[in-house]
């Protein structure tokens, strides 16, 4: 998505979301189900805390040595036959991918689910160049058909109910209406199978990359990740630099944590480990593999105080438990990544000027920290951004003046006492002007301040 | 873990992931099991490369050479993981990993001595020099993208049968 000048309208979007009963019901049902499934999936795991420690330590090591791991990945992936392209920002990444596809005459593109491709707004760029881009994850397929963006990083159409999907398919695909998810899934399978078999190229995201072998790791339940990366002759993968792991031997810890955290499964149906292109004697693999390594501000994040957000493995557990996300849904956040991880990443990637309203979209309850499988300190990160918001003067000027006045008064006993007397004296006026709204919400000032009641 | 325990644990976990599970002790058993899970006259893709596959292939008169045109793929796979009930498919030796993906029914045969205890054991064995493609398969293709309601058979097989031999 291209950053715009105006700030994200989180507050206005939330008010609208609260008035949408279908959305509220869908969000409640989905996030409740996620909570139960996640808890069930982790229940039999012994030494869960040790597993989280191990995964967290691996991610810490990756971030501490990221340039080295990226260089190692580039060298080993190149050896395995892949072509690496480095993109410093979203515009560069879009253009590199368009050019790779256009130079090879690719017109029909099948796409695996990729939040990074949403981050760089890839589809519209390819479509503007005359290419047909088909999202093949069922949830992405639904929202692409509806002209929407994902509202959850794992389940993009979480905000829609089965009747809405049934009507959409009936309208757009000319099939008889059904609200049975199994029937709707079969309809999508049939429509997309033709697209896969005739596609010129597959574009995918990446869950993890192994630096020492140059391998790409993709997790999908549907099998679309496998289709996109093995059926067309050309595979373009978009990979943000922080997704490195040192080696494939580090992968098991994440395979035990990610599916359980994301969907409450013990294991994702399909895990593809792709190392380079099809070699002599191989019957599997794309003939050409291009990997677009995206920075888009991450090197800068790495150097700053919020760098721990780059440990995130995109499981979505933090949003499923977040009281704010559960209430307003993902679209209210207004950009690619919603929920607690989204607040932090969006603000860092798009800047405080655009994202400062998001920084308030948390109750700081800490539920996200409790579930994060790799121990991203989300509350600390959000509080850090709030401090920056105040420092950079993006908070409401009335709030700022009020806090400045309070700060001065609190530092001077005489001024503080004067303030207390004034508050008492003007309380009837405040109550009369503000009416029930004020009187009902604000306690009346004490007749004798606490300070004077203490010995 | 003994070989028998490993095989049992693997099948138990694979069944939890909604795979059909079968355990056989000799070729006669294997062919009988195949006859139970596959209609003999279906268009079957079976590479016929390993000894097990050659034995299996003889059972099906209507074999096709293009897996995209098959309704069933019958193949021996690289290995399995007991911890998670996972099949390990590999491109090593010129195998078409996607042959187990396109047809609606995937019948995978795993040799008992090819079952790893854990994910760590598998990756310790392959991490130094991985082949072009390793795919871990746990249960049939699935989605919960509509109201988090499980639906089977999105892009991959709607039916997965595993035979430990």
């Amino acid at each position: 998505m291209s950053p715009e000048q105006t700030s994200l309208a989180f507050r206005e979007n939330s008010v609208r979301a609260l008035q949408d009963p279908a959305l509220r019901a869908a969000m409640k049902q989905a996030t409740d189900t996620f909570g139960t499934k996640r808890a069930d999936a982790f229940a039999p795991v012994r030494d869960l805390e040790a597993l989280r420690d191990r995964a967290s330590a691996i991610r810490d090591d990756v971030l501490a040595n990221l340039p080295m791991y990226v260089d190692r990945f580039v060298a080993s992936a190149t050896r395995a036959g892949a072509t690496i392209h480095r993109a410093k920002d979203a515009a560069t990444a879009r253009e590199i991918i368009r050019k790779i596809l256009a130079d090879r005459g690719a017109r029909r593109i099948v796409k695996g689910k990729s939040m990074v491709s949403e981050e760089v707004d890839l589809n519209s760029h390819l479509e503007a160049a005359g290419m047909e881009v088909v999202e093949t994850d069922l949830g992405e397929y639904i929202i692409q058909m509806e002209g929407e963006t994902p509202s959850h990083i794992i389940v993009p159409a979480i905000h829609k109910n089965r009747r809405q999907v049934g009507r959409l398919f009936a309208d757009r695909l000319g099939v008889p209406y059904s609200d049975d998810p199994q029937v709707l899934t079969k309809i999508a399978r049939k429509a997309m199978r033709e697209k896969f078999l005739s596609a010129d190229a597959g574009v995918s995201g990446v869950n993890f990359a192994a630096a020492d072998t140059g391998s790409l790791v993709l997790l999908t339940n549907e099998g679309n990740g496998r289709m996109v990366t093995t059926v067309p002759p050309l595979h373009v993968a978009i990979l943000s630099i922080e997704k490195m792991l040192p080696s494939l031997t580090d992968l098991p810890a994440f395979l035990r944590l990610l599916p359980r955290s994301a969907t409450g499964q013990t294991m994702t149906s399909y895990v593809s480990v792709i190392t380079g292109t099809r070699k002599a004697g191989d019957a599997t693999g794309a003939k050409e593999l291009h990997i677009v390594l995206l920075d888009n501000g991450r090197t800068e994040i790495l150097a700053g105080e919020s760098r721990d957000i780059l440990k995130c493995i995109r499981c979505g557990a933090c949003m499923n438990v977040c009281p704010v996300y559960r209430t307003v849904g993902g679209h209210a956040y207004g950009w690619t990544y919603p929920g607690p991880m989204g607040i932090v990443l969006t603000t860092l990637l798009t800047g405080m000027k655009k994202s400062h309203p998001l920084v308030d979209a948390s109750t700081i309850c800490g539920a996200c920290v409790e579930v994060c499988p790799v121990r991203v300190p989300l509350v600390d990160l959000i509080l850090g951004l709030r401090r920056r918001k105040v420092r950079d003067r993006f908070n409401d000027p009335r709030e700022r003046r009020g806090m400045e006045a309070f700060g001065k008064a609190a530092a001077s006993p005489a001024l503080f006492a004067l303030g207390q007397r004034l508050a008492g004296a003007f309380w009837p006026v405040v109550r009369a002007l503000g009416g029930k709204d004020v009187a009902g919400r604000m306690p009346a000032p004490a007749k004798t301040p606490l300070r004077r009641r203490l010995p | 873990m003994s070989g028998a325990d490993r095989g049992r644990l693997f099948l138990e976990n694979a069944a939890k992931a909604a795979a059909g599970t079968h355990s056989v002790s000799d070729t006669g058993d294997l062919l009988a099991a195949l006859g139970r899970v596959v209609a003999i006259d279906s268009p079957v893709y079976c590479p016929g490369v390993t000894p097990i596959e050659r034995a299996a292939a003889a059972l099906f008169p209507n074999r096709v050479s293009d897996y995209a045109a098959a309704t069933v793929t019958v193949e021996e796979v690289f290995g399995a993981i007991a911890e998670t009930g996972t099949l390990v498919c590999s491109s090593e030796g010129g195998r078409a990993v996607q042959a187990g993906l396109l047809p609606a029914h995937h019948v995978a045969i795993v040799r008992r001595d090819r079952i790893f205890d854990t994910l760590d054991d598998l990756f310790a064995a392959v991490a130094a020099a991985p082949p072009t493609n390793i795919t871990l398969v746990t249960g049939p293709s699935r989605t919960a993208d509509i109201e988090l309601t499980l639906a089977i058979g999105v892009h991959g097989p709607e039916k997965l049968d595993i035979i430990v031999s």
Side-chain angles (χ1 to χ4, degrees), chain A residues 85-132:
Chain A
H85 309 259
R86 299 186 85 148
K88 64 177 187 333
D89 57 23
T92 314
R94 292 195 287 267
E95 186 47 26
I96 289 171
I97 296 174
R98 185 204 63 75
K99 191 161 183 313
I100 293 168
L101 296 169
D103 285 352
R104 285 150 189 84
R107 313 290 297 171
R108 287 160 301 188
I109 319 296
V110 282
K111 211 163 147 267
K113 191 167 117 46
S114 154
M115 292 309 294
V116 171
S117 78
E118 299 279 347
E119 176 185 324
V120 304
D121 198 11
L122 180 64
N123 288 11
S124 65
H125 191 70
L126 299 183
E127 282 161 1
M131 297 172 192
E132 181 202 36

Short mmCIF file of all heavy atoms in Angstrom, two decimals, chain A residues 85-132:
data_model
loop_
_atom_site.label_atom_id
_atom_site.label_comp_id
_atom_site.label_asym_id
_atom_site.label_seq_id
_atom_site.Cartn_x
_atom_site.Cartn_y
_atom_site.Cartn_z
N HIS A 85 17.32 -10.23 -6.21
CA HIS A 85 17.16 -8.80 -6.50
C HIS A 85 16.97 -8.10 -5.16
O HIS A 85 16.17 -8.55 -4.36
CB HIS A 85 15.92 -8.54 -7.36
CG HIS A 85 15.85 -9.41 -8.59
ND1 HIS A 85 16.18 -8.96 -9.83
CD2 HIS A 85 15.49 -10.70 -8.74
CE1 HIS A 85 16.03 -9.92 -10.72
NE2 HIS A 85 15.60 -11.00 -10.09
N ARG A 86 17.68 -7.02 -4.94
CA ARG A 86 17.50 -6.31 -3.67
C ARG A 86 16.68 -5.06 -3.91
O ARG A 86 16.98 -4.27 -4.80
CB ARG A 86 18.85 -6.01 -3.04
CG ARG A 86 19.61 -7.31 -2.75
CD ARG A 86 20.87 -7.08 -2.00
NE ARG A 86 20.61 -7.02 -0.57
CZ ARG A 86 21.49 -7.43 0.36
NH1 ARG A 86 22.66 -7.90 0.02
NH2 ARG A 86 21.20 -7.33 1.63
N ALA A 87 15.63 -4.90 -3.11
CA ALA A 87 14.73 -3.76 -3.26
C ALA A 87 14.76 -2.94 -1.99
O ALA A 87 14.45 -3.45 -0.91
CB ALA A 87 13.31 -4.25 -3.55
N LYS A 88 15.12 -1.65 -2.10
CA LYS A 88 15.23 -0.84 -0.90
C LYS A 88 13.86 -0.38 -0.41
O LYS A 88 13.65 -0.17 0.76
CB LYS A 88 16.16 0.35 -1.12
CG LYS A 88 15.67 1.36 -2.17
CD LYS A 88 16.65 2.54 -2.23
CE LYS A 88 16.22 3.70 -3.11
NZ LYS A 88 15.34 3.45 -4.24
N ASP A 89 12.90 -0.25 -1.34
CA ASP A 89 11.57 0.20 -0.91
C ASP A 89 10.47 -0.48 -1.74
O ASP A 89 10.76 -1.26 -2.64
CB ASP A 89 11.46 1.73 -0.98
CG ASP A 89 11.75 2.25 -2.38
OD1 ASP A 89 11.60 1.48 -3.36
OD2 ASP A 89 12.14 3.43 -2.51
N ALA A 90 9.23 -0.12 -1.40
CA ALA A 90 8.09 -0.77 -2.03
C ALA A 90 8.04 -0.53 -3.53
O ALA A 90 7.82 -1.45 -4.32
CB ALA A 90 6.79 -0.28 -1.36
N ALA A 91 8.29 0.71 -3.93
CA ALA A 91 8.20 1.05 -5.36
C ALA A 91 9.22 0.26 -6.16
O ALA A 91 8.92 -0.26 -7.25
CB ALA A 91 8.41 2.56 -5.55
N THR A 92 10.43 0.13 -5.61
CA THR A 92 11.47 -0.63 -6.30
C THR A 92 11.07 -2.10 -6.42
O THR A 92 11.23 -2.72 -7.48
CB THR A 92 12.81 -0.52 -5.53
OG1 THR A 92 13.03 0.84 -5.19
CG2 THR A 92 13.96 -1.02 -6.37
N ALA A 93 10.53 -2.66 -5.34
CA ALA A 93 10.13 -4.08 -5.35
C ALA A 93 9.05 -4.34 -6.41
O ALA A 93 9.14 -5.29 -7.19
CB ALA A 93 9.63 -4.48 -3.97
N ARG A 94 8.04 -3.48 -6.43
CA ARG A 94 6.95 -3.63 -7.42
C ARG A 94 7.49 -3.62 -8.83
O ARG A 94 7.10 -4.40 -9.68
CB ARG A 94 5.98 -2.43 -7.32
CG ARG A 94 5.16 -2.33 -6.10
CD ARG A 94 4.03 -1.34 -6.33
NE ARG A 94 4.44 0.06 -6.38
CZ ARG A 94 4.43 0.88 -5.31
NH1 ARG A 94 4.08 0.41 -4.14
NH2 ARG A 94 4.79 2.14 -5.44
N GLU A 95 8.39 -2.67 -9.06
CA GLU A 95 8.89 -2.48 -10.41
C GLU A 95 9.82 -3.64 -10.82
O GLU A 95 9.77 -4.10 -11.96
CB GLU A 95 9.60 -1.11 -10.50
CG GLU A 95 10.05 -0.69 -11.88
CD GLU A 95 8.99 -0.87 -12.98
OE1 GLU A 95 7.78 -0.85 -12.67
OE2 GLU A 95 9.39 -1.05 -14.16
N ILE A 96 10.61 -4.13 -9.89
CA ILE A 96 11.47 -5.29 -10.19
C ILE A 96 10.60 -6.47 -10.59
O ILE A 96 10.85 -7.15 -11.59
CB ILE A 96 12.34 -5.66 -8.95
CG1 ILE A 96 13.43 -4.61 -8.72
CG2 ILE A 96 12.96 -7.05 -9.15
CD1 ILE A 96 14.18 -4.79 -7.40
N ILE A 97 9.55 -6.71 -9.83
CA ILE A 97 8.69 -7.87 -10.10
C ILE A 97 7.96 -7.70 -11.43
O ILE A 97 7.89 -8.62 -12.25
CB ILE A 97 7.71 -8.11 -8.93
CG1 ILE A 97 8.50 -8.46 -7.67
CG2 ILE A 97 6.72 -9.22 -9.28
CD1 ILE A 97 7.68 -8.58 -6.41
N ARG A 98 7.45 -6.50 -11.66
CA ARG A 98 6.76 -6.26 -12.94
C ARG A 98 7.71 -6.54 -14.11
O ARG A 98 7.33 -7.18 -15.09
CB ARG A 98 6.25 -4.82 -13.02
CG ARG A 98 5.43 -4.54 -14.28
CD ARG A 98 5.39 -3.08 -14.68
NE ARG A 98 6.70 -2.54 -15.02
CZ ARG A 98 7.37 -2.77 -16.14
NH1 ARG A 98 6.85 -3.53 -17.09
NH2 ARG A 98 8.58 -2.25 -16.34
N LYS A 99 8.95 -6.07 -13.95
CA LYS A 99 9.89 -6.20 -15.05
C LYS A 99 10.29 -7.67 -15.29
O LYS A 99 10.37 -8.11 -16.43
CB LYS A 99 11.15 -5.35 -14.76
CG LYS A 99 12.06 -5.20 -15.96
CD LYS A 99 13.01 -4.03 -15.80
CE LYS A 99 13.88 -3.85 -17.05
NZ LYS A 99 14.50 -5.09 -17.54
N ILE A 100 10.50 -8.41 -14.20
CA ILE A 100 10.83 -9.84 -14.35
C ILE A 100 9.72 -10.52 -15.15
O ILE A 100 9.97 -11.28 -16.10
CB ILE A 100 10.95 -10.54 -12.97
CG1 ILE A 100 12.15 -10.01 -12.19
CG2 ILE A 100 11.06 -12.07 -13.14
CD1 ILE A 100 12.15 -10.43 -10.72
N LEU A 101 8.47 -10.24 -14.77
CA LEU A 101 7.33 -10.89 -15.41
C LEU A 101 7.17 -10.40 -16.85
O LEU A 101 7.01 -11.20 -17.78
CB LEU A 101 6.05 -10.62 -14.60
CG LEU A 101 6.05 -11.20 -13.18
CD1 LEU A 101 4.88 -10.66 -12.38
CD2 LEU A 101 6.01 -12.73 -13.21
N ALA A 102 7.26 -9.09 -17.04
CA ALA A 102 7.04 -8.53 -18.38
C ALA A 102 8.12 -8.98 -19.36
O ALA A 102 7.83 -9.33 -20.50
CB ALA A 102 6.99 -6.99 -18.30
N ASP A 103 9.38 -9.02 -18.89
CA ASP A 103 10.48 -9.42 -19.76
C ASP A 103 10.31 -10.84 -20.28
O ASP A 103 10.86 -11.20 -21.32
CB ASP A 103 11.82 -9.33 -19.02
CG ASP A 103 12.29 -7.90 -18.85
OD1 ASP A 103 11.63 -7.00 -19.44
OD2 ASP A 103 13.28 -7.66 -18.13
N ARG A 104 9.59 -11.67 -19.53
CA ARG A 104 9.39 -13.05 -19.95
C ARG A 104 8.01 -13.26 -20.57
O ARG A 104 7.57 -14.39 -20.77
CB ARG A 104 9.60 -13.99 -18.76
CG ARG A 104 11.07 -14.11 -18.44
CD ARG A 104 11.36 -14.38 -17.00
NE ARG A 104 12.79 -14.29 -16.74
CZ ARG A 104 13.42 -13.13 -16.50
NH1 ARG A 104 12.76 -11.99 -16.47
NH2 ARG A 104 14.73 -13.12 -16.29
N GLY A 105 7.34 -12.16 -20.82
CA GLY A 105 6.03 -12.23 -21.48
C GLY A 105 4.95 -12.87 -20.62
O GLY A 105 3.95 -13.37 -21.13
N ALA A 106 5.13 -12.86 -19.29
CA ALA A 106 4.12 -13.47 -18.41
C ALA A 106 2.89 -12.58 -18.31
O ALA A 106 3.01 -11.39 -18.03
CB ALA A 106 4.72 -13.71 -17.04
N ARG A 107 1.72 -13.14 -18.60
CA ARG A 107 0.47 -12.37 -18.52
C ARG A 107 -0.45 -12.90 -17.43
O ARG A 107 -1.22 -12.17 -16.85
CB ARG A 107 -0.30 -12.46 -19.86
CG ARG A 107 0.52 -12.22 -21.11
CD ARG A 107 0.96 -10.79 -21.23
NE ARG A 107 -0.18 -9.89 -21.37
CZ ARG A 107 -0.08 -8.56 -21.33
NH1 ARG A 107 1.10 -8.00 -21.13
NH2 ARG A 107 -1.14 -7.81 -21.48
N ARG A 108 -0.39 -14.21 -17.24
CA ARG A 108 -1.28 -14.83 -16.25
C ARG A 108 -0.48 -15.24 -15.03
O ARG A 108 0.36 -16.12 -15.08
CB ARG A 108 -1.98 -16.04 -16.88
CG ARG A 108 -3.05 -15.64 -17.89
CD ARG A 108 -3.38 -16.76 -18.81
NE ARG A 108 -2.17 -17.18 -19.53
CZ ARG A 108 -2.16 -18.05 -20.52
NH1 ARG A 108 -3.26 -18.64 -20.91
NH2 ARG A 108 -1.03 -18.36 -21.13
N ILE A 109 -0.79 -14.57 -13.90
CA ILE A 109 0.01 -14.75 -12.69
C ILE A 109 -0.88 -15.39 -11.62
O ILE A 109 -1.98 -14.90 -11.35
CB ILE A 109 0.49 -13.38 -12.15
CG1 ILE A 109 0.96 -12.45 -13.29
CG2 ILE A 109 1.54 -13.57 -11.06
CD1 ILE A 109 2.16 -12.92 -14.05
N VAL A 110 -0.41 -16.46 -11.01
CA VAL A 110 -1.09 -16.98 -9.82
C VAL A 110 -0.27 -16.60 -8.60
O VAL A 110 0.96 -16.65 -8.63
CB VAL A 110 -1.31 -18.52 -9.87
CG1 VAL A 110 -2.47 -18.87 -10.77
CG2 VAL A 110 -0.04 -19.25 -10.29
N LYS A 111 -0.97 -16.24 -7.55
CA LYS A 111 -0.28 -15.67 -6.42
C LYS A 111 -0.61 -16.43 -5.13
O LYS A 111 -1.77 -16.75 -4.87
CB LYS A 111 -0.70 -14.21 -6.27
CG LYS A 111 0.37 -13.35 -5.71
CD LYS A 111 0.12 -11.90 -5.93
CE LYS A 111 0.68 -11.15 -4.75
NZ LYS A 111 -0.32 -10.92 -3.71
N GLY A 112 0.40 -16.72 -4.35
CA GLY A 112 0.19 -17.29 -3.02
C GLY A 112 0.04 -16.16 -2.03
O GLY A 112 0.47 -15.04 -2.30
N LYS A 113 -0.55 -16.44 -0.88
CA LYS A 113 -0.81 -15.39 0.09
C LYS A 113 0.51 -14.79 0.58
O LYS A 113 1.42 -15.51 0.96
CB LYS A 113 -1.56 -15.98 1.27
CG LYS A 113 -2.09 -14.96 2.21
CD LYS A 113 -3.07 -15.61 3.15
CE LYS A 113 -2.57 -15.52 4.58
NZ LYS A 113 -2.08 -14.21 4.95
N SER A 114 0.61 -13.48 0.55
CA SER A 114 1.83 -12.83 0.99
C SER A 114 1.50 -11.46 1.54
O SER A 114 1.04 -10.57 0.82
CB SER A 114 2.80 -12.69 -0.19
OG SER A 114 3.67 -11.60 0.01
N MET A 115 1.71 -11.27 2.83
CA MET A 115 1.44 -9.96 3.43
C MET A 115 2.46 -8.93 2.95
O MET A 115 2.15 -7.75 2.84
CB MET A 115 1.47 -10.05 4.97
CG MET A 115 0.33 -10.85 5.57
SD MET A 115 -1.31 -10.38 4.99
CE MET A 115 -1.47 -8.73 5.65
N VAL A 116 3.68 -9.39 2.64
CA VAL A 116 4.69 -8.45 2.14
C VAL A 116 4.25 -7.89 0.78
O VAL A 116 4.44 -6.72 0.48
CB VAL A 116 6.08 -9.11 2.07
CG1 VAL A 116 7.07 -8.21 1.36
CG2 VAL A 116 6.57 -9.40 3.47
N SER A 117 3.59 -8.74 -0.04
CA SER A 117 3.12 -8.23 -1.33
C SER A 117 1.98 -7.22 -1.12
O SER A 117 1.81 -6.29 -1.91
CB SER A 117 2.69 -9.37 -2.25
OG SER A 117 1.41 -9.85 -1.89
N GLU A 118 1.22 -7.39 -0.04
CA GLU A 118 0.20 -6.38 0.30
C GLU A 118 0.89 -5.09 0.74
O GLU A 118 0.48 -4.00 0.39
CB GLU A 118 -0.70 -6.87 1.44
CG GLU A 118 -1.48 -8.14 1.15
CD GLU A 118 -2.75 -7.88 0.34
OE1 GLU A 118 -3.14 -6.71 0.21
OE2 GLU A 118 -3.32 -8.86 -0.18
N GLU A 119 1.96 -5.27 1.52
CA GLU A 119 2.71 -4.11 2.02
C GLU A 119 3.22 -3.25 0.87
O GLU A 119 3.22 -2.02 0.95
CB GLU A 119 3.87 -4.61 2.89
CG GLU A 119 4.80 -3.53 3.41
CD GLU A 119 6.02 -4.12 4.16
OE1 GLU A 119 5.86 -5.15 4.85
OE2 GLU A 119 7.11 -3.54 4.03
N VAL A 120 3.65 -3.88 -0.23
CA VAL A 120 4.20 -3.10 -1.34
C VAL A 120 3.14 -2.84 -2.42
O VAL A 120 3.45 -2.27 -3.45
CB VAL A 120 5.45 -3.76 -1.98
CG1 VAL A 120 6.51 -4.01 -0.93
CG2 VAL A 120 5.10 -5.06 -2.70
N ASP A 121 1.91 -3.27 -2.16
CA ASP A 121 0.80 -3.02 -3.08
C ASP A 121 1.11 -3.56 -4.48
O ASP A 121 0.99 -2.85 -5.48
CB ASP A 121 0.50 -1.51 -3.14
CG ASP A 121 -0.88 -1.23 -3.70
OD1 ASP A 121 -1.67 -2.19 -3.85
OD2 ASP A 121 -1.17 -0.06 -4.02
N LEU A 122 1.48 -4.82 -4.52
CA LEU A 122 1.95 -5.41 -5.77
C LEU A 122 0.85 -5.60 -6.82
O LEU A 122 1.04 -5.29 -8.00
CB LEU A 122 2.61 -6.77 -5.46
CG LEU A 122 3.17 -7.52 -6.66
CD1 LEU A 122 4.31 -6.72 -7.31
CD2 LEU A 122 3.67 -8.90 -6.25
N ASN A 123 -0.30 -6.11 -6.38
CA ASN A 123 -1.32 -6.51 -7.36
C ASN A 123 -1.74 -5.38 -8.29
O ASN A 123 -1.82 -5.56 -9.51
CB ASN A 123 -2.56 -7.06 -6.65
CG ASN A 123 -2.30 -8.42 -6.04
OD1 ASN A 123 -1.15 -8.85 -5.97
ND2 ASN A 123 -3.34 -9.08 -5.59
N SER A 124 -2.01 -4.22 -7.72
CA SER A 124 -2.52 -3.13 -8.56
C SER A 124 -1.46 -2.71 -9.58
O SER A 124 -1.78 -2.34 -10.70
CB SER A 124 -2.96 -1.95 -7.70
OG SER A 124 -1.85 -1.41 -7.05
N HIS A 125 -0.19 -2.81 -9.17
CA HIS A 125 0.89 -2.44 -10.07
C HIS A 125 0.96 -3.42 -11.25
O HIS A 125 1.13 -3.00 -12.40
CB HIS A 125 2.21 -2.45 -9.30
CG HIS A 125 3.36 -1.83 -10.03
ND1 HIS A 125 3.44 -0.48 -10.28
CD2 HIS A 125 4.47 -2.38 -10.57
CE1 HIS A 125 4.56 -0.23 -10.94
NE2 HIS A 125 5.19 -1.37 -11.13
N LEU A 126 0.82 -4.71 -10.97
CA LEU A 126 0.87 -5.70 -12.05
C LEU A 126 -0.37 -5.60 -12.93
O LEU A 126 -0.30 -5.74 -14.15
CB LEU A 126 0.99 -7.12 -11.47
CG LEU A 126 2.25 -7.38 -10.62
CD1 LEU A 126 2.28 -8.84 -10.18
CD2 LEU A 126 3.52 -7.02 -11.39
N GLU A 127 -1.51 -5.34 -12.30
CA GLU A 127 -2.75 -5.22 -13.07
C GLU A 127 -2.70 -4.00 -13.99
O GLU A 127 -3.16 -4.05 -15.13
CB GLU A 127 -3.96 -5.17 -12.13
CG GLU A 127 -4.31 -6.56 -11.62
CD GLU A 127 -5.18 -6.56 -10.37
OE1 GLU A 127 -5.54 -5.47 -9.90
OE2 GLU A 127 -5.47 -7.66 -9.86
N ALA A 128 -2.10 -2.92 -13.48
CA ALA A 128 -1.97 -1.72 -14.31
C ALA A 128 -1.09 -1.99 -15.52
O ALA A 128 -1.20 -1.33 -16.55
CB ALA A 128 -1.40 -0.57 -13.47
N ALA A 129 -0.20 -2.99 -15.39
CA ALA A 129 0.67 -3.35 -16.52
C ALA A 129 -0.01 -4.38 -17.43
O ALA A 129 0.64 -4.95 -18.30
CB ALA A 129 2.00 -3.89 -15.99
N GLY A 130 -1.28 -4.63 -17.20
CA GLY A 130 -2.04 -5.49 -18.08
C GLY A 130 -1.98 -6.98 -17.74
O GLY A 130 -2.37 -7.83 -18.53
N MET A 131 -1.47 -7.30 -16.55
CA MET A 131 -1.38 -8.72 -16.17
C MET A 131 -2.64 -9.13 -15.39
O MET A 131 -3.24 -8.32 -14.69
CB MET A 131 -0.15 -8.97 -15.31
CG MET A 131 1.15 -8.68 -16.06
SD MET A 131 2.57 -8.75 -14.98
CE MET A 131 3.82 -8.01 -16.04
N GLU A 132 -2.98 -10.41 -15.53
CA GLU A 132 -4.08 -10.95 -14.72
C GLU A 132 -3.46 -11.59 -13.47
O GLU A 132 -2.63 -12.48 -13.58
CB GLU A 132 -4.86 -12.00 -15.51
CG GLU A 132 -6.02 -12.57 -14.73
CD GLU A 132 -6.49 -13.95 -15.24
OE1 GLU A 132 -5.65 -14.75 -15.65
OE2 GLU A 132 -7.70 -14.20 -15.19
#
